[in-house]
Amino acid sequence: MNPQAKLVFTLSLMLGTTITISSNHWLTAWTGLEINTLAILPLISKSHHPRAIEAATKYFLVQATASALVLFSSMTNAWDTGQWDITQLTHPASCLILTSAIAMKLGLVPFHFWFPEVLQGSPLTTGLLLSTFMKLPPIALLFMTSPSLNPMILTAMAILSVALGGWMGLNQTQIRKILAFSSISHLGWMTVIIAYNPKLTLLNFYLYSLMTAAVFLTLNSTKALNLSTLITTWTKAPSLNTMLLLTLLSLAGLPPLTGFLPKWFIIQELTKEDMATAATILSLLSLLNLFFYLRLAYCATITLPPHTTNQMKQWRTSKSISPLVAILITTSIAMLPISPLILYSV
C-alpha cells in the first residue's frame, strides 16, 4: 500500500476515535464511528486476497448495520425526550436497541459471528487494530451510557460471551481465530462490570490491549499464523518465544502475571454487588480460555524439526527483539506488583 494512503487511513482512524470518545452529541459520535469504519476497510483488504475482500465486506455490512442502529436509537430517544445528549438516554426501547448496536460493534454474543472471520482474513497488524483500537469507540459509548442500560441483559451477554469464547477457541488451529475468541471472552469480562464499576472496564480494556499488542507484534515478528508454524519458531527466536509464553499466560489470567489483575478486581466487585453466582460462573468458564492459552504457550516453547522448505528457511533465520515489543511484553507480565496502587485508584 502507498505510504501516503496508509498515513491518511491511520490519521482517519485516530480522528474518528477522537471524535467519538470526546463527543456529547449522538450525531457526532455516529460520525466518528462511520469515519472509523471507512478508514479500516482499505487496511483489511490491502492484500487483495479473496479472503481479505470477504473479511472487509463482512466488516462493512456488520458495522454499517450497527451504526444505523445507533442512529435509530438516538433518534428514538430524541423523539421521546427532546435530548441528543449521550448521557440522557432514558427511553427503554432506545436503551435496548443501543445495547444491541454496541454488542454488534464489539462482537459480543449473540452478535459475535463476524469477528473471527474478519480477523482471520486480515493481516496481523490490522488484526491488532481490530482487536484493540477499534474497540475503543464502542466501549467509550458503553461507558457513557452504562447507567441507562439494563444490567441483567449485560450480565447475560457477558456470561454467554465468556462461555462461547472459551468453548469455540478449544478446537481452533489458526492463531488469529484463537485470539478472536479470546477477545470475545475478554469483552465478556469487561461488559459484566460496566454497570457497577465502569472504571474497572476501562482498566481491563487497557491491560487487555497492552497484552494483545505484545502477542500480535511477537507473532508478526516470527510470522506465525497457525500452531504448526508456531511450533517451529523456538530455535529461530528462543528468547522471544519465552517472553511470548509469559505473555500468553498473562493473557490467560494466571497469577502472579498482569492479566490476573483485572479479573481479580472484577470478581471482588461482583462479590460486593451480591453477584457471587455470576463471579463463580465466570471464574469457572475462564478455565476454558486457560486451556487453549496453555496449548498456545506449549506450541511456542517446544522444539520440532521443520518439514517444509518454507519452515526450513524460517528455522535458519535469527530474530532479535525490537524495543517496542520488549517494553510491551515486560509491562504485560510484570505489572501486578503495583496492583495495590491501581486498586486504590479505582
Side-chain angles (χ1 to χ4, degrees):
M1 179 180 289
N2 192 315
Q4 287 80 9
K6 185 179 294 187
L7 177 62
V8 170
F9 297 141
T10 304
L11 292 177
S12 299
L13 283 176
M14 298 175 62
L15 175 64
T17 301
T18 304
I19 289 175
T20 300
I21 66 179
S22 61
S23 61
N24 292 321
H25 198 282
W26 277 113
L27 287 181
T28 54
W30 173 80
T31 303
L33 293 174
E34 289 300 308
I35 292 174
N36 262 2
T37 300
L38 295 177
I40 196 67
L41 290 176
L43 299 179
I44 298 175
S45 59
K46 65 180 180 180
S47 64
H48 302 293
H49 190 274
R51 186 183 293 274
I53 302 300
E54 179 185 356
T57 305
K58 288 180 178 178
Y59 184 81
F60 171 74
L61 293 175
V62 172
Q63 296 298 315
T65 304
S67 296
L69 288 176
V70 169
L71 194 59
F72 179 69
S73 171
S74 60
M75 290 176 63
T76 304
N77 186 71
W79 182 274
D80 183 70
T81 64
Q83 295 288 334
W84 284 94
D85 194 338
I86 292 178
T87 59
Q88 301 297 323
L89 189 70
T90 57
H91 194 271
S94 300
C95 295
L96 183 60
I97 296 172
L98 183 70
T99 303
S100 302
I102 295 179
M104 191 177 297
K105 278 194 166 293
L106 289 174
L108 286 169
V109 175
F111 307 103
H112 65 282
F113 51 88
W114 63 273
F115 188 59
E117 298 298 328
V118 170
L119 201 64
Q120 177 63 25
S122 306
L124 282 173
T125 51
T126 307
L128 173 59
L129 290 176
L130 289 172
S131 300
T132 56
F133 193 73
M134 296 299 293
K135 304 286 187 186
L136 183 56
I139 286 182
L141 290 180
L142 193 64
F143 180 88
M144 288 185 283
T145 59
S146 57
S148 305
L149 304 182
N150 190 334
M152 296 305 296
I153 295 178
L154 294 176
T155 303
M157 294 173 64
I159 292 176
L160 289 175
S161 297
V162 175
L164 185 134
W167 187 261
M168 295 297 292
L170 294 177
N171 62 343
Q172 301 295 328
T173 58
Q174 297 293 327
I175 296 178
R176 282 172 292 184
K177 279 196 174 182
I178 293 176
L179 293 176
F181 288 114
S182 165
S183 175
I184 294 172
S185 179
H186 278 86
L187 285 171
W189 282 90
M190 299 177 206
T191 306
V192 74
I193 201 63
I194 186 71
Y196 306 103
N197 193 338
K199 291 183 179 180
L200 280 183
T201 297
L202 295 183
L203 173 65
N204 197 341
F205 176 73
Y206 295 149
L207 294 181
Y208 163 75
S209 300
L210 178 71
M211 294 181 288
T212 303
V215 172
F216 268 98
L217 292 176
T218 303
L219 294 174
N220 191 46
S221 299
T222 58
K223 306 301 179 186
L225 298 178
N226 50 54
L227 296 183
S228 60
T229 308
L230 187 62
I231 290 174
T232 63
T233 58
W234 172 256
T235 302
K236 180 174 64 172
S239 58
L240 191 59
N241 275 40
T242 304
M243 300 177 75
L244 176 62
L245 162 69
L246 295 174
T247 308
L248 289 171
L249 295 181
S250 178
L251 201 57
L254 275 182
L257 302 174
T258 302
F260 176 67
L261 177 68
K263 293 183 179 179
W264 176 26
F265 290 165
I266 289 174
I267 291 173
Q268 281 187 331
E269 190 67 25
L270 289 176
T271 305
K272 293 177 183 177
E273 297 292 337
D274 294 329
M275 297 181 63
T277 303
T280 304
I281 294 174
L282 290 174
S283 301
L284 293 176
L285 290 175
S286 65
L287 296 177
L288 295 172
N289 296 69
L290 178 61
F291 178 82
F292 63 73
Y293 279 124
L294 288 175
R295 184 177 61 171
L296 270 178
Y298 176 73
C299 291
T301 52
I302 64 175
T303 304
L304 288 180
H307 300 290
T308 65
T309 305
N310 185 32
Q311 288 177 340
M312 182 68 75
K313 182 179 180 181
Q314 291 181 355
W315 183 266
R316 294 173 179 173
T317 305
S318 61
K319 287 284 184 181
S320 59
I321 304 176
S322 67
L324 176 60
V325 176
I327 292 172
L328 288 174
I329 291 178
T330 304
T331 310
S332 64
I333 64 180
M335 198 173 176
L336 190 58
I338 68 170
S339 59
L341 298 177
I342 299 178
L343 180 60
Y344 179 77
S345 65
V346 298

